[in-house]
Amino acid sequence: MKLTEIFAKHTYSLSFEVFPPKTDSVYADVQTATEQIARLRPAFMSVTYGAGGGTSKYTLRIAEGIKKSCGVESLAHLTCVSSTKETVKERIADFKAAGIENVMALRGDIPQDRINEDRSAWAYRHAVELVRELKASGDFCIGGACYPEVHPESNNQKEDIRYLKEKVDAGCAFLTTQMFFDNNLLYNYLYKIREAGITVPVIAGIMPITSAKQVERALKLSGSFMPRRFLSLVDTFGNDPSAMKQAGIAYATDQIIDLYANGIANVHVYSMNKPDVAESIQSNLSAIIGKNA
Ligand code: FAD
């Protein structure tokens, strides 16, 4: 089923993300975690695409398993910047053959050693090119990424939103946000993108921070603003793993309740292959998401 149909059916949706293994040796662990998360019956599950595409076969295998064996709708990610046109065409054909209906079209991060290259000869420079290709090659429900705190490479938010509009006009049926820890940043951003004429559903991406180590990684990955309230929680509980986990889950839950209460109907949790974290959040929200139509 297309995610847009799922969003239309839910008053509040909660979904989870998993990432593929890097090697065959840990495939079984990821599969087990995926199946445990799927047992929570989320609205859908997304499967990320390894940078550079090295783990692409796993993305497809896991996304197909979620849909066919677990009976949960899946969203397969696909990146393009380090790929040739032939490879992307092959991936799209593989997705189609496997019955994947929902694809997240991403540019991917530019590898460190290619940042200063002349990009004019690259097969793909921006996600919009992949969106157009997906749109032309099948009946996919296509998603795109968006950045409430501005993409790190953008000169300013106005420019970032102008390119986002181009991406949506090319065929994105929904957008998922980069993680953020202050909901006001999203509310402000939504106001601006709606003003710019972007009307597709925006799925709020929430990352539960359950260890002090994760704070550094999240900051490096997203450059997100960390509110004082969140930082004092890390200062106080960061050295106590079980207390930090509980506090991080409570913070994420609180963020999600505030989002639902302010009209953001769809929340995607970056659950990082952790079924226990996904389950705790889901259970904290059970009476709320139980109210689905
Ligand atoms: P784009 O939409 O191409 O935007 C990148 C930058 O280029 C922005 O600054 C934008 O303003 C600018 N831009 C866009 N179009 C144009 C244009 N026509 N002309 C000039 N400038 C333009 N990475 C992975 O490797 N695998 C994943 O599975 C993955 N999943 C993600 C999921 C989400 C929800 C998010 C938010 C990010 C994800 N990423 C993933 C990271 C993502 O690949 C990086 O953030 C990447 O740097 C940008 O990808 P994009 O698709 O947003 O790019």
Side-chain angles (χ1 to χ4, degrees), residues 145-159:
C146 67
Y147 302 82
E149 295 175 75
V150 182
H151 186 276
E153 290 165 37
S154 289
N155 292 318
N156 54 62
Q157 193 171 52
K158 212 168 171 184
E159 181 187 283

Side-chain angles (χ1 to χ4, degrees), residues 167-219:
K167 193 157 72 172
V168 172
D169 289 347
C172 286
F174 67 94
L175 297 167
T176 307
T177 75
Q178 178 61 285
M179 67 182 87
F180 57 91
F181 299 94
D182 178 347
N183 288 357
N184 287 323
L185 291 165
L186 179 73
Y187 302 143
N188 188 279
Y189 178 67
L190 275 179
Y191 177 78
K192 289 180 183 162
I193 66 169
R194 298 305 187 212
E195 272 225 305
I198 297 171
T199 57
V200 294
V202 174
I203 319 310
I206 294 295
M207 168 79 88
I209 301 283
T210 53
S211 75
K213 230 172 50 198
Q214 224 187 321
V215 177
E216 213 173 294
R217 253 183 287 137
L219 253 177

Side-chain angles (χ1 to χ4, degrees), residues 22 49-58:
K22 286 201 167 64
Y49 196 81
T55 58
S56 64
K57 65 175 178 191
Y58 298 126

Side-chain angles (χ1 to χ4, degrees), residues 21-96:
K22 286 201 167 64
T23 59
D24 267 334
S25 60
V26 286
Y27 183 83
D29 296 343
V30 175
Q31 190 171 22
T32 304
T34 302
E35 285 166 4
Q36 285 171 348
I37 296 174
R39 262 181 238 130
L40 301 171
R41 315 305 301 165
F44 72 92
M45 286 172 71
S46 69
V47 189
T48 63
Y49 196 81
T55 58
S56 64
K57 65 175 178 191
Y58 298 126
T59 297
L60 176 60
R61 214 191 292 168
I62 294 169
E64 189 179 7
I66 290 170
K67 189 177 166 81
K68 293 185 178 159
S69 309
C70 305
V72 170
E73 193 46 73
S74 65
L75 167 65
H77 289 204
L78 179 62
T79 68
C80 60
V81 76
S82 303
S83 301
T84 61
K85 288 267 176 196
E86 291 69 34
T87 310
V88 167
K89 274 197 169 63
E90 257 174 50
R91 296 290 163 268
I92 295 175
D94 292 344
F95 282 180
K96 238 197 253 185

